[in-house]
Amino acid sequence: MRSLELDLTRYDTDKVRSGHLEHYDQVFEPWFDRELVLLELGVHTGGSLELWRDYFPAAEVVGVDVALPEGFQPGERTKVFEGSQGDTSFLSEMAAAACRVRRNDRRGFAR
């Protein structure tokens, strides 16, 4: 189980506090080591982005929030965009930018 391989005390996220990760392990197991782009709507403190980055070691993690956490610095394989998930124009621009970054960094998407 992937969640048992991580030091969950490092992540400030409700996904740890709620105990949901043990259920995620079963659902996400086929994708643990695949190259993928994971989108998190609602960044809060950024803890979930860091968790997903480590949970999926080959993934690019993209976060969207209407107000990004003050002082949060995206790290390796983590990108953040400030805007509303209700704004379809913003989402289209964000998706295009996230896909461009992915293509440039990783030579395309895994199928």
mmCIF file with all atom_site columns, all heavy atoms in Angstrom, residues 3-5 7 9 17 20-21 28 33 35 39 42 46 49 53-54 58 64 78-79 82 84 86 91 97-98 106:
data_model
loop_
_atom_site.group_PDB
_atom_site.id
_atom_site.type_symbol
_atom_site.label_atom_id
_atom_site.label_alt_id
_atom_site.label_comp_id
_atom_site.label_asym_id
_atom_site.label_entity_id
_atom_site.label_seq_id
_atom_site.pdbx_PDB_ins_code
_atom_site.Cartn_x
_atom_site.Cartn_y
_atom_site.Cartn_z
_atom_site.occupancy
_atom_site.B_iso_or_equiv
_atom_site.pdbx_formal_charge
_atom_site.auth_seq_id
_atom_site.auth_comp_id
_atom_site.auth_asym_id
_atom_site.auth_atom_id
_atom_site.pdbx_PDB_model_num
ATOM 1   N N   . SER A 1 3   ? 0.350   4.339  0.698   1.00 0.00 ? 3   SER A N   1
ATOM 2   C CA  . SER A 1 3   ? 0.282   5.251  1.843   1.00 0.00 ? 3   SER A CA  1
ATOM 3   C C   . SER A 1 3   ? 1.171   4.787  3.002   1.00 0.00 ? 3   SER A C   1
ATOM 4   O O   . SER A 1 3   ? 1.638   5.611  3.787   1.00 0.00 ? 3   SER A O   1
ATOM 5   C CB  . SER A 1 3   ? -1.158  5.427  2.311   1.00 0.00 ? 3   SER A CB  1
ATOM 6   O OG  . SER A 1 3   ? -1.709  4.207  2.743   1.00 0.00 ? 3   SER A OG  1
ATOM 7   N N   . LEU A 1 4   ? 1.440   3.505  3.104   1.00 0.00 ? 4   LEU A N   1
ATOM 8   C CA  . LEU A 1 4   ? 2.312   2.991  4.163   1.00 0.00 ? 4   LEU A CA  1
ATOM 9   C C   . LEU A 1 4   ? 3.786   3.256  3.862   1.00 0.00 ? 4   LEU A C   1
ATOM 10  O O   . LEU A 1 4   ? 4.629   3.171  4.763   1.00 0.00 ? 4   LEU A O   1
ATOM 11  C CB  . LEU A 1 4   ? 2.082   1.491  4.367   1.00 0.00 ? 4   LEU A CB  1
ATOM 12  C CG  . LEU A 1 4   ? 0.686   1.095  4.841   1.00 0.00 ? 4   LEU A CG  1
ATOM 13  C CD1 . LEU A 1 4   ? 0.575   -0.420 4.940   1.00 0.00 ? 4   LEU A CD1 1
ATOM 14  C CD2 . LEU A 1 4   ? 0.335   1.759  6.159   1.00 0.00 ? 4   LEU A CD2 1
ATOM 15  N N   . GLU A 1 5   ? 4.099   3.597  2.617   1.00 0.00 ? 5   GLU A N   1
ATOM 16  C CA  . GLU A 1 5   ? 5.477   3.878  2.225   1.00 0.00 ? 5   GLU A CA  1
ATOM 17  C C   . GLU A 1 5   ? 5.870   5.331  2.479   1.00 0.00 ? 5   GLU A C   1
ATOM 18  O O   . GLU A 1 5   ? 7.041   5.678  2.382   1.00 0.00 ? 5   GLU A O   1
ATOM 19  C CB  . GLU A 1 5   ? 5.666   3.564  0.736   1.00 0.00 ? 5   GLU A CB  1
ATOM 20  C CG  . GLU A 1 5   ? 5.442   2.110  0.394   1.00 0.00 ? 5   GLU A CG  1
ATOM 21  C CD  . GLU A 1 5   ? 5.441   1.874  -1.109  1.00 0.00 ? 5   GLU A CD  1
ATOM 22  O OE1 . GLU A 1 5   ? 5.897   2.755  -1.867  1.00 0.00 ? 5   GLU A OE1 1
ATOM 23  O OE2 . GLU A 1 5   ? 4.976   0.802  -1.519  1.00 0.00 ? 5   GLU A OE2 1
ATOM 24  N N   . ASP A 1 7   ? 5.792   9.028  4.805   1.00 0.00 ? 7   ASP A N   1
ATOM 25  C CA  . ASP A 1 7   ? 5.668   9.609  6.139   1.00 0.00 ? 7   ASP A CA  1
ATOM 26  C C   . ASP A 1 7   ? 4.527   10.615 6.082   1.00 0.00 ? 7   ASP A C   1
ATOM 27  O O   . ASP A 1 7   ? 4.720   11.777 5.704   1.00 0.00 ? 7   ASP A O   1
ATOM 28  C CB  . ASP A 1 7   ? 6.982   10.293 6.542   1.00 0.00 ? 7   ASP A CB  1
ATOM 29  C CG  . ASP A 1 7   ? 6.877   11.001 7.886   1.00 0.00 ? 7   ASP A CG  1
ATOM 30  O OD1 . ASP A 1 7   ? 5.827   10.897 8.560   1.00 0.00 ? 7   ASP A OD1 1
ATOM 31  O OD2 . ASP A 1 7   ? 7.855   11.681 8.254   1.00 0.00 ? 7   ASP A OD2 1
ATOM 32  N N   . THR A 1 9   ? 2.950   12.262 8.186   1.00 0.00 ? 9   THR A N   1
ATOM 33  C CA  . THR A 1 9   ? 2.983   13.430 9.065   1.00 0.00 ? 9   THR A CA  1
ATOM 34  C C   . THR A 1 9   ? 3.552   14.653 8.347   1.00 0.00 ? 9   THR A C   1
ATOM 35  O O   . THR A 1 9   ? 3.409   15.772 8.840   1.00 0.00 ? 9   THR A O   1
ATOM 36  C CB  . THR A 1 9   ? 3.815   13.152 10.336  1.00 0.00 ? 9   THR A CB  1
ATOM 37  O OG1 . THR A 1 9   ? 5.174   12.875 9.961   1.00 0.00 ? 9   THR A OG1 1
ATOM 38  C CG2 . THR A 1 9   ? 3.242   11.969 11.118  1.00 0.00 ? 9   THR A CG2 1
ATOM 39  N N   . ARG A 1 17  ? -5.749  13.273 7.380   1.00 0.00 ? 17  ARG A N   1
ATOM 40  C CA  . ARG A 1 17  ? -6.539  13.325 8.614   1.00 0.00 ? 17  ARG A CA  1
ATOM 41  C C   . ARG A 1 17  ? -7.827  12.506 8.519   1.00 0.00 ? 17  ARG A C   1
ATOM 42  O O   . ARG A 1 17  ? -8.279  11.925 9.498   1.00 0.00 ? 17  ARG A O   1
ATOM 43  C CB  . ARG A 1 17  ? -6.862  14.775 8.960   1.00 0.00 ? 17  ARG A CB  1
ATOM 44  C CG  . ARG A 1 17  ? -5.640  15.573 9.391   1.00 0.00 ? 17  ARG A CG  1
ATOM 45  C CD  . ARG A 1 17  ? -6.006  16.977 9.851   1.00 0.00 ? 17  ARG A CD  1
ATOM 46  N NE  . ARG A 1 17  ? -6.573  17.793 8.802   1.00 0.00 ? 17  ARG A NE  1
ATOM 47  C CZ  . ARG A 1 17  ? -5.859  18.501 7.914   1.00 0.00 ? 17  ARG A CZ  1
ATOM 48  N NH1 . ARG A 1 17  ? -4.545  18.463 7.952   1.00 0.00 ? 17  ARG A NH1 1
ATOM 49  N NH2 . ARG A 1 17  ? -6.445  19.232 6.999   1.00 0.00 ? 17  ARG A NH2 1
ATOM 50  N N   . HIS A 1 20  ? -8.745  8.654  4.357   1.00 0.00 ? 20  HIS A N   1
ATOM 51  C CA  . HIS A 1 20  ? -9.171  8.216  3.024   1.00 0.00 ? 20  HIS A CA  1
ATOM 52  C C   . HIS A 1 20  ? -8.071  7.518  2.226   1.00 0.00 ? 20  HIS A C   1
ATOM 53  O O   . HIS A 1 20  ? -8.351  6.779  1.299   1.00 0.00 ? 20  HIS A O   1
ATOM 54  C CB  . HIS A 1 20  ? -9.693  9.400  2.205   1.00 0.00 ? 20  HIS A CB  1
ATOM 55  C CG  . HIS A 1 20  ? -11.053 9.841  2.636   1.00 0.00 ? 20  HIS A CG  1
ATOM 56  N ND1 . HIS A 1 20  ? -11.229 10.692 3.691   1.00 0.00 ? 20  HIS A ND1 1
ATOM 57  C CD2 . HIS A 1 20  ? -12.283 9.550  2.168   1.00 0.00 ? 20  HIS A CD2 1
ATOM 58  C CE1 . HIS A 1 20  ? -12.516 10.921 3.854   1.00 0.00 ? 20  HIS A CE1 1
ATOM 59  N NE2 . HIS A 1 20  ? -13.177 10.228 2.948   1.00 0.00 ? 20  HIS A NE2 1
ATOM 60  N N   . LEU A 1 21  ? -6.818  7.770  2.581   1.00 0.00 ? 21  LEU A N   1
ATOM 61  C CA  . LEU A 1 21  ? -5.723  7.222  1.778   1.00 0.00 ? 21  LEU A CA  1
ATOM 62  C C   . LEU A 1 21  ? -5.745  5.701  1.680   1.00 0.00 ? 21  LEU A C   1
ATOM 63  O O   . LEU A 1 21  ? -5.400  5.142  0.646   1.00 0.00 ? 21  LEU A O   1
ATOM 64  C CB  . LEU A 1 21  ? -4.369  7.679  2.310   1.00 0.00 ? 21  LEU A CB  1
ATOM 65  C CG  . LEU A 1 21  ? -3.918  9.057  1.864   1.00 0.00 ? 21  LEU A CG  1
ATOM 66  C CD1 . LEU A 1 21  ? -2.555  9.372  2.448   1.00 0.00 ? 21  LEU A CD1 1
ATOM 67  C CD2 . LEU A 1 21  ? -3.886  9.186  0.366   1.00 0.00 ? 21  LEU A CD2 1
ATOM 68  N N   . PHE A 1 28  ? -6.186  3.540  -6.691  1.00 0.00 ? 28  PHE A N   1
ATOM 69  C CA  . PHE A 1 28  ? -5.128  4.125  -7.512  1.00 0.00 ? 28  PHE A CA  1
ATOM 70  C C   . PHE A 1 28  ? -3.957  3.186  -7.799  1.00 0.00 ? 28  PHE A C   1
ATOM 71  O O   . PHE A 1 28  ? -3.048  3.547  -8.542  1.00 0.00 ? 28  PHE A O   1
ATOM 72  C CB  . PHE A 1 28  ? -4.584  5.396  -6.854  1.00 0.00 ? 28  PHE A CB  1
ATOM 73  C CG  . PHE A 1 28  ? -5.563  6.539  -6.813  1.00 0.00 ? 28  PHE A CG  1
ATOM 74  C CD1 . PHE A 1 28  ? -5.589  7.388  -5.724  1.00 0.00 ? 28  PHE A CD1 1
ATOM 75  C CD2 . PHE A 1 28  ? -6.443  6.770  -7.850  1.00 0.00 ? 28  PHE A CD2 1
ATOM 76  C CE1 . PHE A 1 28  ? -6.472  8.460  -5.681  1.00 0.00 ? 28  PHE A CE1 1
ATOM 77  C CE2 . PHE A 1 28  ? -7.334  7.822  -7.813  1.00 0.00 ? 28  PHE A CE2 1
ATOM 78  C CZ  . PHE A 1 28  ? -7.353  8.673  -6.728  1.00 0.00 ? 28  PHE A CZ  1
ATOM 79  N N   . ASP A 1 33  ? 2.883   4.109  -10.595 1.00 0.00 ? 33  ASP A N   1
ATOM 80  C CA  . ASP A 1 33  ? 4.154   4.402  -11.251 1.00 0.00 ? 33  ASP A CA  1
ATOM 81  C C   . ASP A 1 33  ? 4.021   4.854  -12.694 1.00 0.00 ? 33  ASP A C   1
ATOM 82  O O   . ASP A 1 33  ? 5.011   4.906  -13.419 1.00 0.00 ? 33  ASP A O   1
ATOM 83  C CB  . ASP A 1 33  ? 5.064   3.167  -11.168 1.00 0.00 ? 33  ASP A CB  1
ATOM 84  C CG  . ASP A 1 33  ? 5.417   2.845  -9.724  1.00 0.00 ? 33  ASP A CG  1
ATOM 85  O OD1 . ASP A 1 33  ? 5.771   3.782  -8.990  1.00 0.00 ? 33  ASP A OD1 1
ATOM 86  O OD2 . ASP A 1 33  ? 5.310   1.666  -9.332  1.00 0.00 ? 33  ASP A OD2 1
ATOM 87  N N   . GLU A 1 35  ? 3.280   7.587  -15.757 1.00 0.00 ? 35  GLU A N   1
ATOM 88  C CA  . GLU A 1 35  ? 3.375   9.019  -16.027 1.00 0.00 ? 35  GLU A CA  1
ATOM 89  C C   . GLU A 1 35  ? 1.964   9.512  -16.295 1.00 0.00 ? 35  GLU A C   1
ATOM 90  O O   . GLU A 1 35  ? 1.283   8.995  -17.178 1.00 0.00 ? 35  GLU A O   1
ATOM 91  C CB  . GLU A 1 35  ? 4.271   9.280  -17.231 1.00 0.00 ? 35  GLU A CB  1
ATOM 92  C CG  . GLU A 1 35  ? 5.727   9.010  -16.948 1.00 0.00 ? 35  GLU A CG  1
ATOM 93  C CD  . GLU A 1 35  ? 6.635   9.434  -18.093 1.00 0.00 ? 35  GLU A CD  1
ATOM 94  O OE1 . GLU A 1 35  ? 6.168   10.143 -19.007 1.00 0.00 ? 35  GLU A OE1 1
ATOM 95  O OE2 . GLU A 1 35  ? 7.800   9.049  -18.063 1.00 0.00 ? 35  GLU A OE2 1
ATOM 96  N N   . LEU A 1 39  ? -4.869  16.492 -11.592 1.00 0.00 ? 39  LEU A N   1
ATOM 97  C CA  . LEU A 1 39  ? -5.409  17.829 -11.348 1.00 0.00 ? 39  LEU A CA  1
ATOM 98  C C   . LEU A 1 39  ? -6.112  17.855 -10.002 1.00 0.00 ? 39  LEU A C   1
ATOM 99  O O   . LEU A 1 39  ? -7.002  17.048 -9.740  1.00 0.00 ? 39  LEU A O   1
ATOM 100 C CB  . LEU A 1 39  ? -6.398  18.207 -12.450 1.00 0.00 ? 39  LEU A CB  1
ATOM 101 C CG  . LEU A 1 39  ? -7.161  19.518 -12.259 1.00 0.00 ? 39  LEU A CG  1
ATOM 102 C CD1 . LEU A 1 39  ? -6.211  20.709 -12.233 1.00 0.00 ? 39  LEU A CD1 1
ATOM 103 C CD2 . LEU A 1 39  ? -8.207  19.679 -13.348 1.00 0.00 ? 39  LEU A CD2 1
ATOM 104 N N   . GLY A 1 42  ? -8.831  23.019 -5.856  1.00 0.00 ? 42  GLY A N   1
ATOM 105 C CA  . GLY A 1 42  ? -8.837  23.456 -4.471  1.00 0.00 ? 42  GLY A CA  1
ATOM 106 C C   . GLY A 1 42  ? -7.527  23.074 -3.819  1.00 0.00 ? 42  GLY A C   1
ATOM 107 O O   . GLY A 1 42  ? -7.298  21.917 -3.485  1.00 0.00 ? 42  GLY A O   1
ATOM 108 N N   . GLY A 1 46  ? -1.706  23.598 0.098   1.00 0.00 ? 46  GLY A N   1
ATOM 109 C CA  . GLY A 1 46  ? -0.735  22.981 -0.806  1.00 0.00 ? 46  GLY A CA  1
ATOM 110 C C   . GLY A 1 46  ? -0.283  21.604 -0.359  1.00 0.00 ? 46  GLY A C   1
ATOM 111 O O   . GLY A 1 46  ? 0.461   20.929 -1.062  1.00 0.00 ? 46  GLY A O   1
ATOM 112 N N   . LEU A 1 49  ? -1.064  18.731 -2.787  1.00 0.00 ? 49  LEU A N   1
ATOM 113 C CA  . LEU A 1 49  ? -0.198  18.717 -3.971  1.00 0.00 ? 49  LEU A CA  1
ATOM 114 C C   . LEU A 1 49  ? 1.102   17.976 -3.659  1.00 0.00 ? 49  LEU A C   1
ATOM 115 O O   . LEU A 1 49  ? 1.581   17.178 -4.468  1.00 0.00 ? 49  LEU A O   1
ATOM 116 C CB  . LEU A 1 49  ? 0.112   20.139 -4.428  1.00 0.00 ? 49  LEU A CB  1
ATOM 117 C CG  . LEU A 1 49  ? -1.076  20.992 -4.863  1.00 0.00 ? 49  LEU A CG  1
ATOM 118 C CD1 . LEU A 1 49  ? -0.613  22.403 -5.205  1.00 0.00 ? 49  LEU A CD1 1
ATOM 119 C CD2 . LEU A 1 49  ? -1.809  20.365 -6.018  1.00 0.00 ? 49  LEU A CD2 1
ATOM 120 N N   . ARG A 1 53  ? 2.291   14.430 -5.277  1.00 0.00 ? 53  ARG A N   1
ATOM 121 C CA  . ARG A 1 53  ? 3.601   14.383 -5.929  1.00 0.00 ? 53  ARG A CA  1
ATOM 122 C C   . ARG A 1 53  ? 4.392   13.160 -5.456  1.00 0.00 ? 53  ARG A C   1
ATOM 123 O O   . ARG A 1 53  ? 5.020   12.452 -6.241  1.00 0.00 ? 53  ARG A O   1
ATOM 124 C CB  . ARG A 1 53  ? 4.379   15.660 -5.609  1.00 0.00 ? 53  ARG A CB  1
ATOM 125 C CG  . ARG A 1 53  ? 5.786   15.683 -6.209  1.00 0.00 ? 53  ARG A CG  1
ATOM 126 C CD  . ARG A 1 53  ? 6.702   16.640 -5.488  1.00 0.00 ? 53  ARG A CD  1
ATOM 127 N NE  . ARG A 1 53  ? 6.830   16.265 -4.083  1.00 0.00 ? 53  ARG A NE  1
ATOM 128 C CZ  . ARG A 1 53  ? 6.961   17.146 -3.090  1.00 0.00 ? 53  ARG A CZ  1
ATOM 129 N NH1 . ARG A 1 53  ? 6.980   18.439 -3.326  1.00 0.00 ? 53  ARG A NH1 1
ATOM 130 N NH2 . ARG A 1 53  ? 7.076   16.735 -1.842  1.00 0.00 ? 53  ARG A NH2 1
ATOM 131 N N   . ASP A 1 54  ? 4.351   12.889 -4.163  1.00 0.00 ? 54  ASP A N   1
ATOM 132 C CA  . ASP A 1 54  ? 5.092   11.761 -3.612  1.00 0.00 ? 54  ASP A CA  1
ATOM 133 C C   . ASP A 1 54  ? 4.345   10.436 -3.786  1.00 0.00 ? 54  ASP A C   1
ATOM 134 O O   . ASP A 1 54  ? 4.962   9.390  -3.935  1.00 0.00 ? 54  ASP A O   1
ATOM 135 C CB  . ASP A 1 54  ? 5.389   12.004 -2.131  1.00 0.00 ? 54  ASP A CB  1
ATOM 136 C CG  . ASP A 1 54  ? 6.299   13.212 -1.924  1.00 0.00 ? 54  ASP A CG  1
ATOM 137 O OD1 . ASP A 1 54  ? 6.943   13.663 -2.896  1.00 0.00 ? 54  ASP A OD1 1
ATOM 138 O OD2 . ASP A 1 54  ? 6.350   13.716 -0.789  1.00 0.00 ? 54  ASP A OD2 1
ATOM 139 N N   . ALA A 1 58  ? 5.855   9.403  -10.674 1.00 0.00 ? 58  ALA A N   1
ATOM 140 C CA  . ALA A 1 58  ? 6.104   9.740  -12.082 1.00 0.00 ? 58  ALA A CA  1
ATOM 141 C C   . ALA A 1 58  ? 5.098   10.762 -12.603 1.00 0.00 ? 58  ALA A C   1
ATOM 142 O O   . ALA A 1 58  ? 5.087   11.075 -13.790 1.00 0.00 ? 58  ALA A O   1
ATOM 143 C CB  . ALA A 1 58  ? 6.051   8.464  -12.940 1.00 0.00 ? 58  ALA A CB  1
ATOM 144 N N   . VAL A 1 64  ? -5.263  23.950 -8.863  1.00 0.00 ? 64  VAL A N   1
ATOM 145 C CA  . VAL A 1 64  ? -6.041  25.136 -9.222  1.00 0.00 ? 64  VAL A CA  1
ATOM 146 C C   . VAL A 1 64  ? -6.790  25.610 -7.983  1.00 0.00 ? 64  VAL A C   1
ATOM 147 O O   . VAL A 1 64  ? -7.395  24.808 -7.270  1.00 0.00 ? 64  VAL A O   1
ATOM 148 C CB  . VAL A 1 64  ? -7.064  24.810 -10.338 1.00 0.00 ? 64  VAL A CB  1
ATOM 149 C CG1 . VAL A 1 64  ? -8.008  25.977 -10.561 1.00 0.00 ? 64  VAL A CG1 1
ATOM 150 C CG2 . VAL A 1 64  ? -6.354  24.436 -11.626 1.00 0.00 ? 64  VAL A CG2 1
ATOM 151 N N   . THR A 1 78  ? 5.324   19.938 -9.722  1.00 0.00 ? 78  THR A N   1
ATOM 152 C CA  . THR A 1 78  ? 4.107   20.572 -9.192  1.00 0.00 ? 78  THR A CA  1
ATOM 153 C C   . THR A 1 78  ? 3.935   21.942 -9.827  1.00 0.00 ? 78  THR A C   1
ATOM 154 O O   . THR A 1 78  ? 4.866   22.746 -9.823  1.00 0.00 ? 78  THR A O   1
ATOM 155 C CB  . THR A 1 78  ? 4.203   20.724 -7.662  1.00 0.00 ? 78  THR A CB  1
ATOM 156 O OG1 . THR A 1 78  ? 4.492   19.459 -7.083  1.00 0.00 ? 78  THR A OG1 1
ATOM 157 C CG2 . THR A 1 78  ? 2.909   21.246 -7.084  1.00 0.00 ? 78  THR A CG2 1
ATOM 158 N N   . LYS A 1 79  ? 2.751   22.179 -10.371 1.00 0.00 ? 79  LYS A N   1
ATOM 159 C CA  . LYS A 1 79  ? 2.415   23.477 -10.960 1.00 0.00 ? 79  LYS A CA  1
ATOM 160 C C   . LYS A 1 79  ? 1.119   23.965 -10.319 1.00 0.00 ? 79  LYS A C   1
ATOM 161 O O   . LYS A 1 79  ? 0.264   23.158 -9.971  1.00 0.00 ? 79  LYS A O   1
ATOM 162 C CB  . LYS A 1 79  ? 2.172   23.353 -12.471 1.00 0.00 ? 79  LYS A CB  1
ATOM 163 C CG  . LYS A 1 79  ? 3.250   22.609 -13.238 1.00 0.00 ? 79  LYS A CG  1
ATOM 164 C CD  . LYS A 1 79  ? 4.408   23.496 -13.579 1.00 0.00 ? 79  LYS A CD  1
ATOM 165 C CE  . LYS A 1 79  ? 5.412   22.799 -14.459 1.00 0.00 ? 79  LYS A CE  1
ATOM 166 N NZ  . LYS A 1 79  ? 6.392   22.001 -13.781 1.00 0.00 ? 79  LYS A NZ  1
ATOM 167 N N   . GLU A 1 82  ? -3.831  30.097 -10.480 1.00 0.00 ? 82  GLU A N   1
ATOM 168 C CA  . GLU A 1 82  ? -4.841  30.806 -9.704  1.00 0.00 ? 82  GLU A CA  1
ATOM 169 C C   . GLU A 1 82  ? -5.998  31.197 -10.609 1.00 0.00 ? 82  GLU A C   1
ATOM 170 O O   . GLU A 1 82  ? -5.808  31.876 -11.624 1.00 0.00 ? 82  GLU A O   1
ATOM 171 C CB  . GLU A 1 82  ? -4.238  32.051 -9.056  1.00 0.00 ? 82  GLU A CB  1
ATOM 172 C CG  . GLU A 1 82  ? -5.173  32.710 -8.067  1.00 0.00 ? 82  GLU A CG  1
ATOM 173 C CD  . GLU A 1 82  ? -4.464  33.753 -7.237  1.00 0.00 ? 82  GLU A CD  1
ATOM 174 O OE1 . GLU A 1 82  ? -3.831  33.372 -6.221  1.00 0.00 ? 82  GLU A OE1 1
ATOM 175 O OE2 . GLU A 1 82  ? -4.526  34.940 -7.613  1.00 0.00 ? 82  GLU A OE2 1
ATOM 176 N N   . SER A 1 84  ? -10.704 30.474 -11.064 1.00 0.00 ? 84  SER A N   1
ATOM 177 C CA  . SER A 1 84  ? -11.920 29.787 -10.628 1.00 0.00 ? 84  SER A CA  1
ATOM 178 C C   . SER A 1 84  ? -12.219 28.574 -11.501 1.00 0.00 ? 84  SER A C   1
ATOM 179 O O   . SER A 1 84  ? -12.203 28.669 -12.735 1.00 0.00 ? 84  SER A O   1
ATOM 180 C CB  . SER A 1 84  ? -13.108 30.753 -10.690 1.00 0.00 ? 84  SER A CB  1
ATOM 181 O OG  . SER A 1 84  ? -14.310 30.053 -10.459 1.00 0.00 ? 84  SER A OG  1
ATOM 182 N N   . GLY A 1 86  ? -14.993 27.526 -11.973 1.00 0.00 ? 86  GLY A N   1
ATOM 183 C CA  . GLY A 1 86  ? -16.234 27.858 -12.659 1.00 0.00 ? 86  GLY A CA  1
ATOM 184 C C   . GLY A 1 86  ? -16.024 28.692 -13.911 1.00 0.00 ? 86  GLY A C   1
ATOM 185 O O   . GLY A 1 86  ? -16.966 28.945 -14.662 1.00 0.00 ? 86  GLY A O   1
ATOM 186 N N   . LEU A 1 91  ? -10.078 27.647 -17.267 1.00 0.00 ? 91  LEU A N   1
ATOM 187 C CA  . LEU A 1 91  ? -9.759  26.223 -17.278 1.00 0.00 ? 91  LEU A CA  1
ATOM 188 C C   . LEU A 1 91  ? -9.144  25.796 -18.605 1.00 0.00 ? 91  LEU A C   1
ATOM 189 O O   . LEU A 1 91  ? -8.207  24.999 -18.636 1.00 0.00 ? 91  LEU A O   1
ATOM 190 C CB  . LEU A 1 91  ? -10.998 25.384 -16.967 1.00 0.00 ? 91  LEU A CB  1
ATOM 191 C CG  . LEU A 1 91  ? -11.479 25.421 -15.524 1.00 0.00 ? 91  LEU A CG  1
ATOM 192 C CD1 . LEU A 1 91  ? -12.753 24.594 -15.373 1.00 0.00 ? 91  LEU A CD1 1
ATOM 193 C CD2 . LEU A 1 91  ? -10.407 24.945 -14.562 1.00 0.00 ? 91  LEU A CD2 1
ATOM 194 N N   . ALA A 1 97  ? -1.834  25.257 -20.943 1.00 0.00 ? 97  ALA A N   1
ATOM 195 C CA  . ALA A 1 97  ? -0.519  25.535 -20.366 1.00 0.00 ? 97  ALA A CA  1
ATOM 196 C C   . ALA A 1 97  ? 0.042   24.297 -19.667 1.00 0.00 ? 97  ALA A C   1
ATOM 197 O O   . ALA A 1 97  ? 1.217   23.974 -19.815 1.00 0.00 ? 97  ALA A O   1
ATOM 198 C CB  . ALA A 1 97  ? -0.606  26.703 -19.379 1.00 0.00 ? 97  ALA A CB  1
ATOM 199 N N   . ALA A 1 98  ? -0.778  23.593 -18.930 1.00 0.00 ? 98  ALA A N   1
ATOM 200 C CA  . ALA A 1 98  ? -0.326  22.385 -18.230 1.00 0.00 ? 98  ALA A CA  1
ATOM 201 C C   . ALA A 1 98  ? 0.087   21.316 -19.232 1.00 0.00 ? 98  ALA A C   1
ATOM 202 O O   . ALA A 1 98  ? 1.092   20.629 -19.034 1.00 0.00 ? 98  ALA A O   1
ATOM 203 C CB  . ALA A 1 98  ? -1.426  21.860 -17.308 1.00 0.00 ? 98  ALA A CB  1
ATOM 204 N N   . ARG A 1 106 ? 8.220   15.974 -20.668 1.00 0.00 ? 106 ARG A N   1
ATOM 205 C CA  . ARG A 1 106 ? 8.121   14.519 -20.630 1.00 0.00 ? 106 ARG A CA  1
ATOM 206 C C   . ARG A 1 106 ? 7.890   13.863 -21.991 1.00 0.00 ? 106 ARG A C   1
ATOM 207 O O   . ARG A 1 106 ? 7.550   12.698 -22.064 1.00 0.00 ? 106 ARG A O   1
ATOM 208 C CB  . ARG A 1 106 ? 6.977   14.081 -19.712 1.00 0.00 ? 106 ARG A CB  1
ATOM 209 C CG  . ARG A 1 106 ? 7.107   14.562 -18.295 1.00 0.00 ? 106 ARG A CG  1
ATOM 210 C CD  . ARG A 1 106 ? 8.203   13.798 -17.599 1.00 0.00 ? 106 ARG A CD  1
ATOM 211 N NE  . ARG A 1 106 ? 8.186   14.135 -16.198 1.00 0.00 ? 106 ARG A NE  1
ATOM 212 C CZ  . ARG A 1 106 ? 8.212   13.269 -15.230 1.00 0.00 ? 106 ARG A CZ  1
ATOM 213 N NH1 . ARG A 1 106 ? 8.304   12.006 -15.488 1.00 0.00 ? 106 ARG A NH1 1
ATOM 214 N NH2 . ARG A 1 106 ? 8.199   13.656 -13.975 1.00 0.00 ? 106 ARG A NH2 1
#
